[in-house]
Amino acid sequence: MVLLSPDSTGPLRHVPLFRKYVAGAELNFSIALARLGLRPGLISKVGQDEFGEYIKAAMQAEGLDISLVKTDEDHPTGIYFKEYSGLADPKVYYYRKGSAASTLSPADIDPGCLEGVRLLHLTGITPALSDSCRQAYLRLLELAAEHQVPVSFDPNIRLKLIAAEKVREFMAPFISQASLLILNESELNYLYGTKELAEALPEIWAAGVELVVHKRGAKGAVAAHKKEKELVSCPPFQPVRYVDPVGAGDGFDAGFVFGYLQGWSLRKSLYLANLVGALATTVVGDYEGYPFWSDALPVLEAVGE
Ligand code: KDG
């Protein structure tokens, strides 16, 4: 999506100026990984319009593989707005019904798209956009199973897209095929009726997940592995400036997945995750604050294994 962020605080009806950014959870995640040195590909659709061109150019500039991003002649690129009230974190307003991305369907999924891929990362946002998106994501799960590609999943629950009472059933197929599950406190609560990771673990292991990470925002993060008794926790990284939290969760996921793919310890992966997430909060855009590998390396060296 394109993000239009107001230049001033207050209800959008009084805002005269907006700044334009690129956003979207899966895109943010991919950019964070690319900045750390990987070359992720994204499966999505944009409209055949100026915003679509803008998004593709930004993806290329950030080093993403956009060969699986389709351009749709009949549907526009989705947009979303932020609104800053001065009282709380920003509200978001989506204009993405009928957008190009919401028409993603199994026909858009190239059967060879996971060949040679090390990990498939999905979030609960795209499948909540439409039934065809959900079918496309289920097709990706089939392909991941066929090619033995591990799946990481972040439910990324958006109550503007999915009713609270449907969340558990909706997320079940994705969670049950995920090796790695990453979620925050409110998602833990919607899915397992608790805010404590330890209490949710029996159900999470029973679903087949091997590794689960609890993002706790300003309280840091905790990870648990099915084969280990002890939970591993990590303190937060404190940025020097705070603007808004949007994009932090995606950056966190990417930082953790990066460590996971390198075979790092849970502790070190959590440190990088916290660092990427925290730096996202220092800017208005979703991903602009994510660190490059050269920024992250000295912090990681100071932390050790
Ligand atoms: O995680 C950041 C996203 O929330 C933002 O980019 C917009 O993808 C988005 C969504 O659906 O909320």
Side-chain angles (χ1 to χ4, degrees):
M1 284 183 293
V2 161
L3 157 64
L4 293 168
S5 184
D7 248 11
S8 41
T9 314
L12 291 191
R13 72 189 77 174
H14 299 301
V15 170
L17 284 173
F18 293 85
R19 280 176 201 270
K20 175 164 70 63
Y21 300 85
V22 172
E26 294 86 351
L27 175 137
N28 298 339
F29 173 88
S30 309
I31 289 179
L33 278 184
R35 286 193 174 189
L36 293 171
L38 301 186
R39 181 152 167 87
L42 192 69
I43 298 173
S44 191
K45 288 170 99 172
V46 294
Q48 194 173 48
D49 48 32
E50 283 302 315
F51 282 167
E53 291 305 317
Y54 168 55
I55 292 175
K56 284 190 287 186
M59 287 199 261
Q60 279 178 308
E62 291 287 345
L64 304 190
D65 175 350
I66 65 162
S67 57
L68 296 170
V69 176
K70 293 196 172 176
T71 303
D72 184 319
E73 289 176 12
D74 302 318
H75 299 88
T77 301
I79 58 178
Y80 95 96
F81 290 84
K82 282 183 183 172
E83 181 183 65
Y84 290 95
S85 76
L87 285 174
D89 286 332
K91 281 190 190 161
V92 301
Y93 301 101
Y94 298 134
Y95 291 78
R96 65 184 348 180
K97 245 198 184 114
S99 67
S102 75
T103 69
L104 191 77
S105 79
D108 293 311
I109 306 299
D110 171 350
C113 67
L114 296 185
E115 274 162 31
V117 164
R118 293 171 69 196
L119 179 129
L120 171 68
H121 180 73
L122 302 176
T123 90
I125 294 180
T126 298
L129 296 179
S130 67
D131 188 52
S132 71
C133 281
R134 180 170 160 81
Q135 296 307 326
Y137 261 39
L138 294 175
R139 176 75 188 123
L140 281 169
L141 286 185
E142 280 174 12
L143 289 173
E146 229 169 80
H147 294 273
Q148 296 181 328
V149 173
V151 174
S152 61
F153 183 65
D154 182 335
N156 248 333
I157 297 171
R158 299 286 182 268
L159 294 176
K160 287 193 171 172
L161 299 175
I162 176 165
E165 64 278 10
K166 297 210 172 126
V167 161
R168 275 174 73 99
E169 194 190 342
F170 186 88
M171 302 294 173
F174 304 107
I175 294 176
S176 65
Q177 207 179 312
S179 309
L180 168 58
L181 174 67
I182 311 178
L183 74 191
N184 66 23
E185 196 162 272
S186 83
E187 288 160 348
L188 205 53
N189 204 20
Y190 280 117
L191 288 163
Y192 304 105
T194 174
K195 291 183 178 167
E196 294 304 323
L197 178 61
E199 288 173 13
L201 286 179
E203 208 182 323
I204 292 174
W205 301 149
V209 172
E210 285 168 10
L211 176 57
V212 55
V213 182
H214 178 195
K215 311 185 246 196
R216 303 179 71 226
K219 290 183 270 178
V222 181
H225 195 287
K226 195 175 189 170
K227 294 202 178 126
E228 308 288 337
K229 277 220 159 77
E230 298 291 311
L231 304 191
V232 177
S233 58
C234 178
F237 183 86
Q238 302 287 356
V240 292
R241 176 185 147 96
Y242 177 85
V243 178
D244 88 48
V246 186
D250 310 320
F252 178 101
D253 292 3
F256 190 83
V257 162
F258 183 85
Y260 176 78
L261 289 173
Q262 310 301 316
W264 287 358
S265 68
L266 293 182
R267 178 176 169 274
K268 188 172 173 187
S269 303
L270 288 174
Y271 262 103
L272 179 60
N274 278 338
L275 173 70
V276 181
L279 292 180
T281 69
T282 61
V283 296
V284 172
D286 282 16
Y287 68 77
E288 285 78 356
Y290 294 158
F292 291 86
W293 178 243
S294 52
D295 307 315
L297 188 59
V299 182
L300 287 168
E301 281 175 347
V303 156
E305 292 305 307

